[in-house]
């Protein structure tokens, strides 16, 4: 069973290996993005020092959006959850955050995207979250595009979604937009699992392939329009 500790051990072994990978989306990645309404956000990897930004961003979500992500009425993240969401290896678990900066005003977290590799495979579970007031401005699409690029250069080739067994609406959505690019299966508990092949990244000057099924499905998830069971991208129970 995949655990946070397993990911840390696996990343440690890879760092000790003979091959050293150089990533474009590493700790030095920084991007200023102008949104459709003219506002500007900063994109960069999430860091351990971002716990306050993460907490404030979570609290800025609407009650419905928070419920869709944690499957419960939760008003704030625990210290354990904040550590999991901000302290990771950057290889098997990677996350990009978006923040608004203004003179003499503390930065404000407005969105995030992450993936967590499932065991020693080329499959990862993704998650994209945009606070309600920044939805529909192009932020989610860009975060997903950068997340796909970071995943691809780390050897991830497929994204995995776990749905409620009775989530017929989500299954129909995936089927409608997948164009035969998705594999369905059942997990041990009877839930529905959908696995998408990642599109190979295009040059940055080329617009991201928004018609790809992943952009439709993750866009729905980012807006909290559908329910997706976050297993790997939310912290496992404390041991």
């Amino acid at each position: 069973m995949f655990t946070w500790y397993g990911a840390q051990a696996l990343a440690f072994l890879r760092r000790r290996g003979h091959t050293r990978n150089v990533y474009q989306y590493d700790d030095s990645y920084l991007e200023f993005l102008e949104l459709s309404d003219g506002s500007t956000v900063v994109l960069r990897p999430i860091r351990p020092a971002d716990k306050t930004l993460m907490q404030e961003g979570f609290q800025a979500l609407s009650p419905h959006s928070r419920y869709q992500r944690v499957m419960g009425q939760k008003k704030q993240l625990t210290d354990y959850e904040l550590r999991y969401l901000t302290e990771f290896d950057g290889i098997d678990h990677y996350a990009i955050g978006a923040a608004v900066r203004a003179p003499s005003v503390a930065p404000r977290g407005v969105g995030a995207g992450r993936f967590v590799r499932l065991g020693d495979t080329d499959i990862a579970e993704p998650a994209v979250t945009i606070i309600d007031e920044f939805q529909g401005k192009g932020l989610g699409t860009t975060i997903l595009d950068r997340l796909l690029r970071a995943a691809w250069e780390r050897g991830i080739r497929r994204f995995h979604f776990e749905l409620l067994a009775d989530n017929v609406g989500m299954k129909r959505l995936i089927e409608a937009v997948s164009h035969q690019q998705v594999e369905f299966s059942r997990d041990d508990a009877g839930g529905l699992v959908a696995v998408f092949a990642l599109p190979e990244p295009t040059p940055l000057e080329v617009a991201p392939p928004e018609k790809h099924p992943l952009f439709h499905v993750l866009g729905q998830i980012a807006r909290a329009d559908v329910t997706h069971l976050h297993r790997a991208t939310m912290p496992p129970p404390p041991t």
Side-chain angles (χ1 to χ4, degrees):
M1 182 177 178
F2 177 76
T3 66
W4 177 80
Y5 300 99
Q8 301 300 309
L10 182 59
F12 175 81
L13 292 175
R14 285 179 175 155
R15 288 194 296 270
R16 291 289 184 176
H18 298 293
T19 300
R20 293 183 178 275
N21 295 320
V22 177
Y23 300 124
Q24 177 182 356
Y25 294 90
D26 58 9
D27 291 341
S28 65
Y29 164 64
L30 183 69
E31 181 177 357
F32 293 88
L33 175 67
E34 183 176 345
L35 303 180
S36 61
D37 64 350
S39 60
T40 300
V41 298
V42 180
L43 302 180
R44 63 164 175 80
I46 292 175
R47 301 165 183 160
D50 293 331
K51 292 180 177 61
T52 299
L53 284 175
M54 183 69 66
Q55 185 74 273
E56 291 173 350
F58 182 79
Q59 293 173 339
L61 293 170
S62 67
H64 172 70
S65 294
R66 288 199 300 267
Y67 179 85
Q68 292 289 74
R69 282 155 180 82
V70 299
M71 299 302 293
Q73 300 299 332
K74 190 180 185 70
K75 295 184 178 180
Q76 64 181 16
L77 299 168
T78 66
D79 290 342
Y80 171 74
E81 291 166 336
L82 288 171
R83 287 195 300 272
Y84 179 86
L85 295 172
T86 60
E87 300 177 17
F88 41 81
D89 57 56
I91 301 173
D92 298 317
H93 184 171
Y94 177 82
I96 293 174
V100 175
R101 295 179 178 273
S104 304
V105 178
R108 183 164 67 105
V110 296
R114 75 180 62 241
F115 64 80
V116 177
R117 190 189 303 265
L118 303 179
D120 191 12
T121 70
D122 68 350
I123 304 174
E125 180 186 272
V128 177
T129 301
I130 308 297
I131 69 171
D132 298 68
E133 64 183 281
F134 276 79
Q135 293 174 11
K137 300 180 180 182
L139 178 57
T141 298
T142 301
I143 287 181
L144 175 55
D145 177 71
R146 305 306 186 258
L147 199 66
L148 289 173
R149 295 175 187 275
W152 187 273
E153 65 181 6
R154 287 160 175 77
I156 300 296
R157 295 294 180 267
R158 291 173 289 172
F159 273 171
H160 166 286
F161 299 89
E162 190 170 342
L163 316 174
L164 292 172
D166 59 351
N167 198 335
V168 178
M170 180 63 165
K171 184 175 186 295
R172 287 176 178 170
L173 168 68
I174 293 176
E175 289 176 329
V177 303
S178 66
H179 308 299
Q180 309 302 317
Q181 299 179 54
V182 63
E183 299 175 6
F184 288 106
S185 63
R186 294 280 179 178
D187 61 16
D188 294 338
L192 186 66
V193 176
V195 178
F196 280 94
L198 268 63
E200 186 170 0
T202 57
L204 270 177
E205 60 269 17
V206 178
E210 295 185 47
K211 292 185 179 180
H212 189 277
L214 272 172
F215 282 82
H216 289 279
V217 174
L218 274 177
Q220 296 277 350
I221 293 173
R223 294 189 296 271
D225 293 336
V226 295
T227 301
H228 163 227
L229 295 179
H230 298 274
R231 300 289 193 184
T233 51
M234 286 299 289
T239 58

